[in-house]
C-alpha cells in the first residue's frame, strides 16, 4: 500500500536514464561472460596487466592487483557516496512526521529507508577495497571525509521533499548512471541497484511537485519557492567546473568517471527544462535558453564560491547535520556494546555445549 | 458496547500513532541496520493503519477517508491505547513499547484473521505476518539489552518497569467486539514471560493500570504528537497532495 501506488504523470521523466542503467547491466553481464584473463603471467608487469583489463572494458575485482592511487580514489569516492546516503536521510526525514497525507508519509518513509539501504550497499562495496565500515564512519564523524554538499541545505517546506526527489535525486542519477559502467566491479554493480531505486525516487519527487503545482495557489507557490531554492545547489552537485576539478583526468583514464562534471551538468539541465515545462514551474534562471548550434540549453553557472563555502563546512546545515550524526552514534554506543556483549555470551555458551 | 466502527478505529489509531513514534527514529538509530528495521516496522504499522482507517471510514458512512480520520480529528477523538503515544525515550524504552505492542498485536491480528467480517479478516491475515516479524525483532533486542552489559540490563529493566503499567489497558474486556482483547491476555503473558526470563529481566509487580485511551482520555503527550502530525494538512484545508 505504499511506494508505487500512483499512476505516473505522462512523460514523468528520466526514462532514458533508466534504459542506460539496464544497458549497463547487460554490458556487465557480457563482460563477465567474455573469457577474462585469469591473472597476470608470472613475469608480467602488474601495471601493464591492470591497464590491459581497463582497456578491454573488463572489471577490476577485489582480488585483482590495482595501483594504490586507484584504490584510494575509489575508497574516497565510494565512502563519500555512502556518507551522502546516510546524511541525506536527515533533510527528508525532517518531514516524515509532518507529511500531509498518509500515502505521502508512507512513500517518504520507504524512500528514507531505501537510502539507508544504499548506504549499506556502498559501505560494503568500499569494504572490498580493504577498509572497514567502522573506519569510514569514524572518518565521517571526524570530518575527514565529505558527503554531498547538497544535504547541507535545509528542507523548509513540504515542497522541498518534492524538489529533492526531482532535482537532487535527478542530479544524482545523471551523475551515477555512467558509474554503472565504472571499471571497479563492486562499485558498478552497487550503482546499478542504487540507480534503479533512485530513478523511482525521482519520479516520486516529481509527482509531489506535480500535485502541488496543479493544486491550490498556495501549493503552487510552495512548489515554485522550493525549485527556486534547490535549482542552483542541485547544479553545484556535479562539482566544480572542469578546469578546477582535481580528480577528473586520472579518474577518466581509469574509467571510474566517464564524463566530465560540465558534461553531466549540461545533460541534467537539458533534461530538467522539459520536465519543468510539464510541471508548469519556472527554472530560476533568466538566461536559460535553447542554443540551436550546440543543441543544448545555455544556462547560468551556479555560484562556485558558495559551493566551496558549503564544502568547507559553512553551509546552512553543516553543523546541524554532523551534530545529529555524532549524537546518534554516541547515544547508540551502549546499544552496540550490549549487542556485542550478548553475541559474545551466546558464542561462549555454544562453545560450552559443543565441548 | 462497541460497534465495528469503534473497534476498527481503535486498531487503526494504535497502528497510526505507533508508526508516528517509530518514524521519529529515522536517522537516529544506534546502527544503520536498525534505522532500516525501525523504518520498516513504522511502514508496516502505517500500512495497517491505512487499511483500518479506510475501512473505519466506510463503516461510519460519513464520507471520512483515511486522511480525514488521521488529520482532522482532535486528540479527544483519538482511540489509541496510551502505550503507543508514550514518547520514544531511549532505545530500551522504544523496544519495550514495541515488544509489548507486537506481543499484543500478533494474537489480535491472528484472531481477527478468523473473524466473520471479511474485510477485517483480510487485514488481520496481512498484518499478523508483519506483527510476527515485529515481535521477533523486538524480542531479540529485549534479550540483547537485558542480557548484554550491566548498563544495558539496567536500562532495559527500567524501560520494562516504566512501560509495563500501560499494557493492562490493551486487555480491557469487550465481549461485543469482533475480537475480545481480554481473551488474548494468556497468550500475551506467556510470550512476555518467556522473553523476559531469557533476557534476565523481571516482570514488574504493580497495581497501577493507567487507561482512558479508548475513551479519548489520553496522556499529555498525544496533543503534541497530533499538532506536529496534522500541522501541514490542517494549514491547507481541502488540498490534494
Amino acid at each position: 500500500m505504499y511506494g508505487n501506488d500512483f499512476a505516473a504523470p505522462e512523460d514523468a521523466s528520466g526514462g532514458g536514464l533508466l534504459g542506460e542503467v539496464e544497458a549497463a547491466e547487460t554490458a556487465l553481464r557480457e563482460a563477465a561472460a567474455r573469457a577474462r584473463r585469469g591473472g597476470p603471467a608470472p613475469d608480467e608487469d602488474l601495471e601493464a596487466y591492470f591497464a590491459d583489463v581497463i582497456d578491454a572494458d573488463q572489471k577490476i575485482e577485489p582480488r585483482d592487483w590495482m595501483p594504490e592511487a586507484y584504490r584510494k580514489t575509489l575508497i574516497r569516492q565510494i565512502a563519500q557516496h555512502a556518507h551522502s546516503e546516510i546524511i541525506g536521510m536527515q533533510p527528508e526525514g525532517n518531514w516524515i512526521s509532518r507529511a500531509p497525507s498518509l500515502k505521502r508519509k508512507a512513500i517518504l518513509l520507504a524512500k528514507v529507508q531505501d537510502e539507508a539501504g544504499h548506504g549499506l550497499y556502498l559501505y560494503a562495496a568500499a569494504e572490498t577495497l580493504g577498509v572497514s565500515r567502522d573506519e569510514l564512519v569514524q572518518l565521517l564523524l571526524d570530518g575527514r571525509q565529505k558527503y554531498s554538499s547538497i544535504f547541507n541545505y535545509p528542507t523548509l517546506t513540504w515542497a522541498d521533499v518534492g524538489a529533492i526527489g526531482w532535482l537532487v535525486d535527478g542530479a544524482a542519477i545523471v551523475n551515477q548512471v555512467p558509474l554503472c559502467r565504472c571499471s571497479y566491479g563492486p562499485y558498478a554493480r552497487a550503482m546499478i541497484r542504487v540507480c534503479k531505486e533512485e530513478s523511482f525516487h525521482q519520479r516520486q519527487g516529481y509527482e509531489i511537485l506535480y500535485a502541488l503545482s496543479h493544486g491550490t495557489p498556495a501549493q503552487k507557490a510552495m512548489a515554485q519557492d522550493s525549485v527556486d531554492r534547490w535549482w542552483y545547489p542541485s547544479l553545484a552537485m556535479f562539482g566544480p567546473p572542469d578546469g578546477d576539478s582535481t580528480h577528473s583526468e586520472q579518474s577518466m583514464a581509469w574509467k571510474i568517471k566517464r564524463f566530465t562534471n560540465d558534461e553531466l551538468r549540461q545533460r541534467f539541465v537539458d533534461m530538467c527544462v522539459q520536465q519543468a515545462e510539464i510541471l508548469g514551474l519556472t527554472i530560476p534562471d533568466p538566461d536559460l535558453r535553447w542554443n540551436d548550434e550546440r543543441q543544448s540549453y545555455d544556462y547560468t553557472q551556479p555560484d562556485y564560491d558558495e559551493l566551496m563555502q558549503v564544502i568547507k563546512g559553512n553551509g546552512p546545515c553543516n553543523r546541524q547535520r554532523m551534530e545529529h550524526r555524532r549524537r546518534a552514534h554516541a547515544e547508540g554506543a551502549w546499544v552496540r556494546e550490549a549487542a556485542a556483549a550478548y553475541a559474545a555470551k551466546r558464542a561462549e555458551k555454544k562453545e560450552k555445549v559443543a565441548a | 458496547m462497541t460497534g465495528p466502527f469503534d473497534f476498527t478505529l481503535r486498531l487503526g489509531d494504535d497502528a497510526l500513532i505507533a508508526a508516528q513514534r517509530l518514524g521519529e527514529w529515522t536517522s537516529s538509530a544506534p546502527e544503520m541496520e536498525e534505522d532500516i528495521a525501525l523504518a520498516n516496522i513504522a511502514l508496516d504499522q502505517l500500512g495497517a493503519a491505512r487499511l483500518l482507517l479506510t475501512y473505519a471510514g466506510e463503516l461510519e458512512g460519513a464520507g471520512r477517508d483515511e486522511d480525514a480520520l488521521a488529520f482532522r480529528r482532535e486528540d479527544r477523538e483519538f482511540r489509541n491505547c496510551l502505550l503507543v503515544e508514550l514518547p520514544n525515550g531511549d532505545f530500551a524504552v522504544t523496544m519495550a513499547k514495541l515488544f509489548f505492542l507486537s506481543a499484543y498485536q500478533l494474537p489480535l491480528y491472528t484472531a481477527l484473521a478468523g473473524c466473520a467480517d471479511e474485510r477485517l479478516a483480510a487485514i488481520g491475515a496481512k498484518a499478523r505476518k508483519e506483527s510476527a516479524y515485529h515481535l521477533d525483532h523486538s524480542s531479540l533486542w529485549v534479550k540483547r539489552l537485558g542480557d548484554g552489559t550491566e548498563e544495558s540490563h539496567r536500562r532495559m529493566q527500567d524501560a520494562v518497569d516504566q512501560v509495563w503499567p500501560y499494557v493492562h489497558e490493551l486487555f480491557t474486556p469487550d465481549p461485543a467486539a469482533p475480537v475480545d482483547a481480554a481473551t488474548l491476555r494468556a497468550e500475551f503473558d506467556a510470550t512476555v514471560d518467556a522473553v523476559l526470563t531469557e533476557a534476565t529481566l523481571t516482570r514488574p509487580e504493580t497495581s497501577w493500570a493507567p487507561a482512558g485511551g479508548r475513551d479519548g482520555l489520553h496522556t499529555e503527550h498525544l496533543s503534541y504528537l497530533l499538532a506536529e502530525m496534522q500541522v501541514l494538512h490542517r494549514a491547507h484545508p481541502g488540498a490534494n497532495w
Side-chain angles (χ1 to χ4, degrees):
Chain A
M1 197 154 176
Y2 53 84
N4 56 350
D5 56 350
F6 57 83
E10 274 181 61
D11 197 11
S13 68
L17 288 170
L18 203 52
E20 284 183 44
V21 175
E22 271 154 23
E25 194 174 14
T26 307
L28 194 70
R29 253 188 253 115
E30 286 166 0
R34 280 202 298 275
R36 192 193 149 202
R37 298 177 55 190
D43 54 349
E44 189 177 356
D45 178 27
L46 290 169
E47 299 219 18
Y49 171 75
F50 174 83
D52 226 33
V53 174
I54 300 263
D55 283 348
D57 265 333
Q58 300 288 21
K59 299 301 169 196
I60 301 293
E61 295 298 338
R63 63 179 178 275
D64 289 326
W65 181 88
M66 59 189 87
E68 204 41 39
Y70 177 85
R71 182 188 304 275
K72 282 200 171 133
T73 294
L74 276 168
I75 288 176
R76 185 181 44 79
Q77 187 175 336
I78 300 174
Q80 175 169 326
H81 193 163
H83 300 331
S84 302
E85 298 283 356
I86 297 304
I87 299 287
M89 294 168 73
Q90 291 180 44
E92 291 178 285
N94 182 38
W95 281 90
I96 289 174
S97 67
R98 293 172 292 167
S101 74
L102 296 186
K103 182 176 110 174
R104 290 289 170 216
K105 190 193 289 287
I107 291 172
L108 182 56
L109 255 171
K111 179 183 176 185
V112 176
Q113 187 193 13
D114 280 350
E115 278 160 14
H118 294 170
L120 290 184
Y121 302 158
L122 287 159
Y123 282 121
E127 284 190 321
T128 64
L129 292 159
V131 61
S132 76
R133 179 171 117 188
D134 287 348
E135 286 172 76
L136 296 175
V137 167
Q138 199 54 53
L139 288 169
L140 169 68
L141 296 176
D142 294 345
R144 289 162 60 208
Q145 277 188 342
K146 307 278 184 213
Y147 55 88
S148 177
S149 57
I150 195 82
F151 299 120
N152 293 311
Y153 290 87
T155 48
L156 302 177
T157 70
W158 168 252
D160 290 9
V161 174
I164 287 184
W166 178 45
L167 294 173
V168 173
D169 294 336
I173 298 166
V174 168
N175 229 334
Q176 290 166 16
V177 161
L179 293 172
C180 295
R181 294 176 183 269
C182 148
S183 60
Y184 188 58
Y187 194 25
R189 290 189 288 272
M191 280 301 95
I192 287 170
R193 288 185 70 173
V194 169
C195 283
K196 285 183 181 177
E197 290 181 2
E198 290 291 354
S199 97
F200 189 57
H201 296 165
Q202 194 220 4
R203 224 181 70 183
Q204 291 166 346
Y206 185 88
E207 241 268 325
I208 288 175
L209 290 181
Y210 190 89
L212 293 176
S213 67
H214 292 78
T216 66
Q219 284 178 304
K220 181 158 188 179
M222 191 194 283
Q224 184 62 57
D225 167 63
S226 87
V227 170
D228 290 349
R229 282 180 290 111
W230 288 91
W231 173 251
Y232 284 112
S234 300
L235 287 191
M237 280 175 72
F238 294 93
D242 292 347
D244 307 343
S245 183
T246 42
H247 305 293
S248 279
E249 212 173 309
Q250 182 61 75
S251 285
M252 290 188 68
W254 278 330
K255 295 188 182 168
I256 296 174
K257 274 186 87 154
R258 300 257 172 175
F259 300 95
T260 70
N261 294 352
D262 287 334
E263 283 167 342
L264 293 171
R265 193 168 6 245
Q266 181 72 58
R267 185 185 289 192
F268 176 70
V269 171
D270 291 346
M271 187 180 97
C272 287
V273 173
Q274 192 201 359
Q275 292 168 7
E277 274 167 23
I278 303 167
L279 283 174
L281 296 171
T282 310
I283 288 174
D285 179 355
D287 294 328
L288 183 76
R289 57 181 54 87
W290 179 250
N291 182 324
D292 215 31
E293 217 168 285
R294 294 197 307 116
Q295 287 294 298
S296 265
Y297 285 91
D298 290 336
Y299 62 97
T300 306
Q301 292 289 321
D303 178 350
Y304 292 109
D305 291 337
E306 177 182 312
L307 175 66
M308 290 324 291
Q309 280 302 314
V310 176
I311 288 174
K312 272 189 212 153
N314 295 323
C317 296
N318 297 60
R319 284 161 180 76
Q320 181 188 332
R321 301 287 184 244
M322 288 303 291
E323 163 64 22
H324 180 99
R325 194 66 242 139
R326 288 190 188 115
R327 193 173 56 238
H329 191 75
E331 287 180 359
W334 70 273
V335 176
R336 296 190 297 275
E337 283 157 18
Y342 179 79
K345 282 185 200 175
R346 302 289 288 187
E348 203 179 315
K349 263 188 203 158
K350 238 187 211 170
E351 241 170 55
K352 270 189 195 151
V353 171
Chain B
M1 277 296 283
T2 299
F5 167 70
D6 302 276
F7 176 79
T8 308
L9 189 66
R10 264 186 221 167
L11 301 197
D13 283 352
D14 283 355
L16 176 63
I17 303 302
Q20 184 74 2
R21 282 295 185 218
L22 289 165
E24 292 171 15
W25 270 100
T26 306
S27 84
S28 298
E31 285 273 23
M32 291 169 207
E33 285 81 355
E34 197 52 29
D35 252 321
I36 296 181
L38 291 173
N40 206 327
I41 297 169
L43 210 42
D44 287 344
Q45 292 285 352
L46 184 54
R50 295 181 64 193
L51 294 170
L52 288 160
L53 292 179
T54 298
Y55 186 43
E58 289 171 27
L59 287 169
E60 185 190 35
R64 291 203 281 185
D65 63 7
E66 58 175 22
D67 286 338
L69 286 170
F71 294 101
R72 293 209 296 275
R73 276 182 300 152
E74 308 278 339
D75 56 321
R76 290 281 284 112
E77 299 167 276
F78 267 77
R79 292 290 178 266
N80 59 280
C81 60
L82 303 182
L83 173 74
V84 294
E85 73 196 45
L86 299 177
N88 284 336
D90 67 5
F91 189 69
V93 173
T94 290
M95 279 303 138
K97 284 172 57 184
L98 183 61
F99 173 53
F100 294 139
L101 179 68
S102 50
Y104 155 76
Q105 282 182 330
L106 179 58
L108 173 70
Y109 286 138
T110 303
L112 203 62
C115 83
D117 184 316
E118 276 180 28
R119 284 282 290 280
L120 286 177
I123 295 171
K126 180 181 185 296
R128 74 175 164 189
K129 293 179 204 150
E130 296 165 348
S131 293
Y133 159 71
H134 306 165
L135 179 60
D136 189 54
H137 190 75
S138 54
S139 298
L140 189 52
W141 272 115
V142 169
K143 291 185 228 168
R144 279 183 186 135
L145 298 179
D147 194 17
T149 62
E150 239 175 80
E151 163 83 348
S152 71
H153 177 85
R154 182 187 63 74
R155 289 195 193 226
M156 195 63 235
Q157 184 67 57
D158 276 358
V160 167
D161 293 349
Q162 198 180 313
V163 170
W164 179 255
Y166 294 91
V167 304
H168 305 301
E169 183 189 21
L170 301 171
F171 302 100
T172 310
D174 188 358
V179 174
D180 181 355
T183 63
L184 309 172
R185 181 77 204 225
E187 188 180 342
F188 173 86
D189 282 337
T191 305
V192 166
D193 284 345
V195 172
L196 290 185
T197 303
E198 208 187 321
T200 71
L201 297 165
T202 319
R203 195 169 100 178
E205 297 295 333
T206 167
S207 57
W208 185 50
R214 304 306 190 199
D215 301 317
L217 294 166
H218 292 277
T219 65
E220 290 177 347
H221 305 294
L222 184 67
S223 178
Y224 288 97
L225 181 149
L226 295 181
E228 184 173 340
M229 184 173 87
Q230 298 177 338
V231 61
L232 180 58
H233 185 97
R234 284 191 185 270
H236 297 264
N240 289 314
W241 301 95

